Amino acid sequence: MKDESLSPEGTYAIRFDVFEVRMSHWVEVPGIFRVADDLLLFDLRGDVWSAGPVTWLSDSVVQLTVRRYPGWVSCELVLDLRAGKGEAICGPDRFEGALPALENWVRRH
């Protein structure tokens, strides 16, 4: 289980709400913050989206996989936190845009 994943220079942090949904089955729901002012930039908390692998491509660009629990829906996300935009691929569907719009699009899948 992960509590936090910091960007390489510590500018951004992915913080996880971690909870057990079944015995020994944990969900790690991500929220992404700018560390300097604790500003929430991207948030899947409140829904049951569990983060998989997290890869920081640079200090402000992160790639992560999220899966809706329960079910088979998963999305690949690449988020440019400095620019405030990103892209998501969920199965055959793809979306590019500002982080709030991308967050809403993912939640609808």
Side-chain angles (χ1 to χ4, degrees):
M1 285 181 289
K2 42 194 172 280
D3 292 327
E4 184 173 80
S5 174
L6 286 173
S7 65
E9 296 176 25
T11 307
Y12 302 96
I14 303 175
R15 298 182 187 139
F16 302 92
D17 285 352
V18 180
F19 57 93
E20 190 174 24
V21 290
R22 289 189 310 196
M23 193 165 104
S24 300
H25 194 133
W26 296 86
V27 171
E28 300 169 332
V29 186
I32 305 176
F33 295 82
R34 186 171 57 209
V35 173
D37 57 2
D38 211 33
L39 179 68
L40 182 59
L41 302 172
F42 188 82
D43 188 19
L44 292 179
R45 297 170 310 158
D47 274 341
V48 188
W49 284 94
S50 190
V54 173
T55 304
W56 289 97
L57 303 176
S58 71
D59 188 56
S60 63
V61 178
V62 64
Q63 178 179 351
L64 69 148
T65 301
V66 294
R67 286 186 184 83
R68 182 181 289 281
Y69 181 88
W72 298 100
V73 177
S74 69
C75 298
E76 297 294 328
L77 309 176
V78 177
L79 309 175
D80 185 334
L81 304 171
R82 182 176 298 133
K85 62 182 181 177
E87 64 181 68
I89 300 172
C90 300
D93 301 327
R94 180 185 173 123
F95 182 87
E96 289 186 48
L99 292 180
L102 188 137
E103 178 184 313
N104 289 333
W105 186 84
V106 169
R107 286 179 183 272
R108 288 192 306 267
H109 275 78

